[in-house]
Amino acid sequence: MDESLQPAWPAGWTRRHLLDLESLSREEIEILLDTALQMKKLTQGCRAKVPLLSGVTTANLFFENSTRTRLSFSLAARRLGADTVDFTASTSSVSKGESLLDTAKTILAMQVDSLIVRHRAPGAPYILADNLDCCVINAGDGPHEHPTQGLLDMLTIREHRPRFEDLTVALVGDIAHSRTARSNIWGLKKLGAHVIVCGPATLVSRQWEKFGVEVAHRLDDILPRCDVLNLLRIQFERQYTRPFPSVHEYALLYAMNRQRMERAKSDILIMAPGPINRGVEITPDVADGPQSVILDQVTNGLAVRMAVLWLTCRVAQQAAV
Ligand code: ASP
């Protein structure tokens, strides 16, 4: 392969799995972001192919719904020249009683090198990483973590505001049930940003202060100080009781709309992990407006996932030599 298409190998990267951002050092997060940026350049904005992983096979093992993450992992693998297969729980033998480990072992027996796992149970990817001889990437484990989402959010912020130490980033919405919130908190704190978690008291407890973040219950109070707003979806599928009287009331207090944009910094970045619920956490004019970087996040997701697949698979290949 043409050497100019080979990204420089980062000496500080030794991991074969990506399970969370909590256990990563600042240096490792920076390696992931720098490599993602290199991938973006090498593939002309995530468009072209570079055969960095030819001969490798990745499998998406998804036990929960997904649009962005699953497509993005598949495309990232293909951009790198890998083969990729898809597993969907509802159409598989899981519905016949097969366990998570047996399902994963069956897929691995087809000579798969990397498992990309989404599961409703927090910790499921750790079980696979502990018991199987392959790379494991966490694509969302219940409300726990979604590390590639955190990374793509940080990459998108860094493209606009390179110094995290100068930034106030607010995560707004259903913090209690959001894996995006957790991965963002760990990552952003390590890079030096000031993080605010904001939402109704039923979804944002004071206990979050223990993690070094500011807790707020009124968006209007914090809005003028924010450089970035990441508007999180209300995770109704994870809630056992309704945390606020009505969606309308939530939107009145927390939806980012035109009136609130007038009170925000003029260069504020508006982000959302998606899927977005127009009219609930964000109004259409703001979602499609000039400060929105929501679709840039999606493109950066490809770059981040190429970086994660390449770095983890290379460590596994080197260990096998
Ligand atoms: N797509 C993100 C996730 O899987 C956010 C969301 O679903 O609201 O966690």
Side-chain angles (χ1 to χ4, degrees), residues 55-68:
V56 165
T57 304
T58 72
N60 289 330
L61 193 55
F62 275 52
F63 294 85
E64 272 193 338
N65 296 341
S66 170
T67 307
R68 275 150 288 268

Side-chain angles (χ1 to χ4, degrees), residues 92-130:
S92 75
S93 292
V94 169
S95 54
K96 301 180 191 168
E98 192 169 67
S99 75
L100 170 65
L101 256 183
D102 282 332
T103 303
K105 281 181 184 164
T106 306
I107 291 173
L108 274 195
M110 298 179 200
Q111 308 305 322
V112 164
D113 304 285
S114 183
L115 282 181
I116 295 128
V117 189
R118 171 168 287 193
H119 201 282
R120 66 175 183 285
Y126 297 74
I127 294 176
L128 299 185
D130 285 346

Side-chain angles (χ1 to χ4, degrees), residues 68-69 118 146 149 179-180 233 235 237-238 273-275:
R68 275 150 288 268
T69 307
R118 171 168 287 193
H146 190 353
Q149 179 71 50
R179 52 196 176 207
T180 299
R233 189 175 62 87
Q235 313 266 311
E237 72 277 20
R238 296 195 211 290

